[in-house]
């Protein structure tokens, strides 16, 4: 059984791991807005890819909602690791 709420749109899945351009296009297609937190270093994500979002991928939310993303700067040049908190949460 599929439960689709009237007037809602689905957050693209996947979103984490997409390039910034691909994530923006997917969010625009889903009638969602995009905002960014400052980029952060992460050895787990290539430069320019989305490493965190403030909504759960695949969640149904209201059209026009702003989805806040964090873009990876790649691995830290000093070899350290600086990852911001994951702001994902379930609806």
């Amino acid at each position: 059984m599929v439960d689709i709420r009237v007037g809602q749109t689905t957050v693209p899945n996947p979103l984490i791991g997409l390039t910034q351009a691909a994530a923006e296009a997917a969010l625009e297609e889903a009638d969602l807005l995009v905002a960014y937190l400052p980029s952060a270093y992460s050895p787990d994500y290539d430069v320019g890819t989305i490493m965190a979002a403030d909504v759960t991928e695949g969640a149904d939310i209201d059209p026009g909602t702003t989805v806040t993303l964090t873009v990876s700067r790649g691995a830290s040049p000093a070899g350290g690791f600086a990852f911001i908190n994951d702001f994902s949460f379930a609806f």
Side-chain angles (χ1 to χ4, degrees):
M1 179 174 146
V2 176
D3 179 22
I4 298 177
R5 297 180 186 192
V6 175
Q8 296 218 309
T9 189
T10 302
V11 176
N13 186 10
L15 190 59
I16 306 300
L18 293 180
T19 64
Q20 183 175 352
E24 285 179 7
L27 290 168
E28 182 179 311
E29 186 175 321
D31 197 20
L32 297 169
L33 304 175
V34 64
Y36 293 96
L37 290 174
S39 59
Y41 291 110
S42 173
D44 297 325
Y45 297 94
D46 293 333
V47 173
T49 59
I50 304 304
M51 59 185 267
D54 69 342
V55 296
T56 302
E57 297 166 294
D60 292 325
I61 61 176
D62 293 330
T65 299
T66 298
V67 176
T68 304
L69 305 174
T70 302
V71 179
S72 175
R73 295 178 70 186
S76 173
F81 181 74
F83 182 82
I84 65 162
N85 290 334
D86 180 356
F87 294 101
S88 299
F89 55 91
F91 285 88

